[in-house]
């Protein structure tokens, strides 16, 4: 008996290890099939996964590239599996069904499901609650069905019954069916005119679509020459960047794009109430608490009213670290000197400092810097 217990003690950790380690072949299969489904742009599962990857920062700025190369980034691959699990309501059987729908090799489905459940079962409650919140708020990423909308039903003539019990067919007069005289003289109510359908928005407001562009000409082609203006540009630190191209200038939807010589791009937003759907869901006006949640931990800010005041100094190794995101914050409530003086001047301030909560600190400007292209 002791020998059996000893063997069990030795074997059990190996079994657990096999369940929490993803083989190269399984990772390759998932990465390949996820790329194929994502590139179709009409698969609800992969649209949701990509949106969650972008919202969480796990996919980086160029999420389209990440989604087609998941195997090259183990952390991104794990994140993709987490959101497949979330899409599946953290239910193992539904997860297996969704993995099968991705056309994975049959012998890869169960190891992948086991790995995913073991790795993220501790987050199941939080993932389920987050999904419910996304659905309730209307932020749950979906795709429209591929089938064309059904044609409106044509009104059919009403069928009534004559005194003889025979149905009245279209075109038959009341007299021919001996219907009561009152039926022929009853006025027909006018059918109210259907409200005009709102005009379709001609623009795709997802910022990710800007990153593949390589020239101002492409920007003008995408949004119209009349909606793009060339102006001098600066980064958030006040450094001159040469010419910037402003899409929808002087409106809430203004977006500044700078094309650099190394083919990287700097995309900046400074207006609230914009239609743009930005990476990681970060936009001007967002509260400090949202940034902490996205980053997964507290971070450091340059003191206000000083050089680079209010800019993020370091993400301190959080989810937003090295993701190409630069933020400048502002404090809306600066009337209490005792609180404001604690976070101003030549100092670094942690985002969890109590004074910041009372100052209503929000995002003032946000820039997204893509990587240079080879």
């Amino acid at each position: 008996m002791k020998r059996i217990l000893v063997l069990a003690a030795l074997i059990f950790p190996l079994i657990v290890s096999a369940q929490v380690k993803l083989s190269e072949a399984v990772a390759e299969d998932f990465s390949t099939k996820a790329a194929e489904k994502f590139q179709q742009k009409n698969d609800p599962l992969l649209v949701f996964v990509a949106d969650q990857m972008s919202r969480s920062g796990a996919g980086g700025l160029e999420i389209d590239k990440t989604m087609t190369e998941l195997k090259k980034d183990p952390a991104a691959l794990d994140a993709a599996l987490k959101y497949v699990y979330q899409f599946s309501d953290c239910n193992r059987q539904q997860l297996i069904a969704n993995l099968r729908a991705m056309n994975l090799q049959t012998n890869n489905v169960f190891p992948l499901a086991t790995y995913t459940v073991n790795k993220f079962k501790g987050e199941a409650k939080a993932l389920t609650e987050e999904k419910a919140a996304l659905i309730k708020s209307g932020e749950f990423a979906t795709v429209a069905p591929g089938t064309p909308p059904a044609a409106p039903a044509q009104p059919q003539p009403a069928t009534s019954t004559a005194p003889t019990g025979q149905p009245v067919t279209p075109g038959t007069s009341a007299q021919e069916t001996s219907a009561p005289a009152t039926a022929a003289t009853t006025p027909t109510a006018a059918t109210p005119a259907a409200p005009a359908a709102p005009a379709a928005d001609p623009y795709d407001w997802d910022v990710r679509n800007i990153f593949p562009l390589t020239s101002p000409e492409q920007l003008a082609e995408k949004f119209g020459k009349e909606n793009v203006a060339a102006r001098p540009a600066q980064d958030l630190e006040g450094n001159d960047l040469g010419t910037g191209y402003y899409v929808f200038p002087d409106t809430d939807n203004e977006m500044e794009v700078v094309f650099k010589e190394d083919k990287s791009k700097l995309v900046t937003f400074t207006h609230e109430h914009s239609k743009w759907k930005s990476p990681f869901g970060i936009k001007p006006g967002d509260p400090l608490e949202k940034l902490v949640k996205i980053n997964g931990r507290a971070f450091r800010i340059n003191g206000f009213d000083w050089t680079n005041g209010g800019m993020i100094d370091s993400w301190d190794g959080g989810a937003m670290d090295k993701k190409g995101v630069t933020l400048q914050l502002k404090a809306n409530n600066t009337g209490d000197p005792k609180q404001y003086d604690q976070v101003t001047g030549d100092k670094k301030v942690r985002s969890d400092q109590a004074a910041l909560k009372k100052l209503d600190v929000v995002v003032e400007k946000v820039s997204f810097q893509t990587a240079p292209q080879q």
Side-chain angles (χ1 to χ4, degrees), residues 99-129:
L99 291 173
R100 283 175 171 164
M102 291 178 63
N103 299 322
L104 292 164
Q105 295 182 27
T106 303
N107 59 340
N108 289 338
V109 170
F110 287 98
L112 197 58
T114 300
Y115 171 84
T116 303
V117 172
N118 283 344
K119 191 169 186 66
F120 301 111
K121 61 185 177 183
E123 300 179 44
K125 184 175 183 293
L127 290 171
T128 303
E129 290 175 350

Side-chain angles (χ1 to χ4, degrees), residues 128-170:
T128 303
E129 290 175 350
E130 182 189 32
K131 181 182 176 184
L134 290 172
I135 294 173
K136 185 176 181 181
S137 66
E139 297 180 75
F140 185 88
T142 58
V143 293
T147 53
Q154 297 297 321
Q156 297 296 325
T159 300
S160 58
T161 305
T164 58
Q166 298 298 319
V168 178
T169 56

Side-chain angles (χ1 to χ4, degrees), residues 29-178:
D29 191 22
F30 176 77
S31 178
T32 301
K33 299 302 170 49
E36 292 173 357
K37 288 284 187 180
F38 173 73
Q39 288 171 323
Q40 295 173 10
K41 303 296 184 182
N42 62 356
D43 185 275
L45 169 60
L46 271 300
V47 168
F48 173 80
V49 169
D51 194 69
Q52 287 292 79
M53 296 271 285
S54 181
R55 180 180 284 111
S56 68
L61 282 183
E62 299 180 79
I63 183 66
D64 289 20
K65 183 177 180 182
T66 301
M67 290 298 295
T68 57
E69 300 177 349
L70 286 173
K71 192 189 173 189
K72 294 182 179 180
D73 187 343
L77 190 145
D78 275 350
L81 286 172
K82 178 169 74 172
Y83 296 125
V84 172
Y85 186 46
Q86 184 181 39
F87 185 86
S88 307
D89 296 321
C90 299
N91 178 282
R92 179 183 172 84
Q93 296 306 313
Q94 187 59 50
L95 172 64
I96 290 172
N98 285 328
L99 291 173
R100 283 175 171 164
M102 291 178 63
N103 299 322
L104 292 164
Q105 295 182 27
T106 303
N107 59 340
N108 289 338
V109 170
F110 287 98
L112 197 58
T114 300
Y115 171 84
T116 303
V117 172
N118 283 344
K119 191 169 186 66
F120 301 111
K121 61 185 177 183
E123 300 179 44
K125 184 175 183 293
L127 290 171
T128 303
E129 290 175 350
E130 182 189 32
K131 181 182 176 184
L134 290 172
I135 294 173
K136 185 176 181 181
S137 66
E139 297 180 75
F140 185 88
T142 58
V143 293
T147 53
Q154 297 297 321
Q156 297 296 325
T159 300
S160 58
T161 305
T164 58
Q166 298 298 319
V168 178
T169 56
T172 303
S173 68
Q175 290 82 357
E176 290 175 317
T177 57
S178 302

Side-chain angles (χ1 to χ4, degrees), residues 288-289 292 298-299 301 304 331 333 336-344 347-361:
L288 182 64
E289 293 78 10
V292 174
F299 47 86
I301 305 167
F304 294 103
N333 298 334
D336 185 348
K338 291 183 180 180
Q339 300 296 332
Y340 193 52
D341 288 350
Q342 295 180 43
V343 295
T344 58
K347 64 181 71 170
K348 309 300 179 187
V349 181
R350 281 182 56 87
S351 61
D352 55 2
Q353 187 163 327
L356 292 175
K357 297 181 180 180
K358 301 178 181 180
L359 296 173
D360 187 21
V361 175

Side-chain angles (χ1 to χ4, degrees), residues 220-235:
E221 181 179 355
K222 192 173 187 66
F223 297 103
K225 292 181 180 180
E226 69 280 7
N227 293 321
V228 179
R231 298 175 179 175
Q234 294 182 328
D235 63 18

Side-chain angles (χ1 to χ4, degrees), residues 251-268:
T251 71
D252 283 342
N253 294 319
E254 180 178 279
M255 172 180 63
E256 176 192 319
V257 183
V258 176
F259 295 91
K260 297 189 174 182
E261 291 183 1
D262 60 4
K263 296 185 179 179
S264 66
K265 284 165 289 296
L266 184 67
V267 182
T268 303

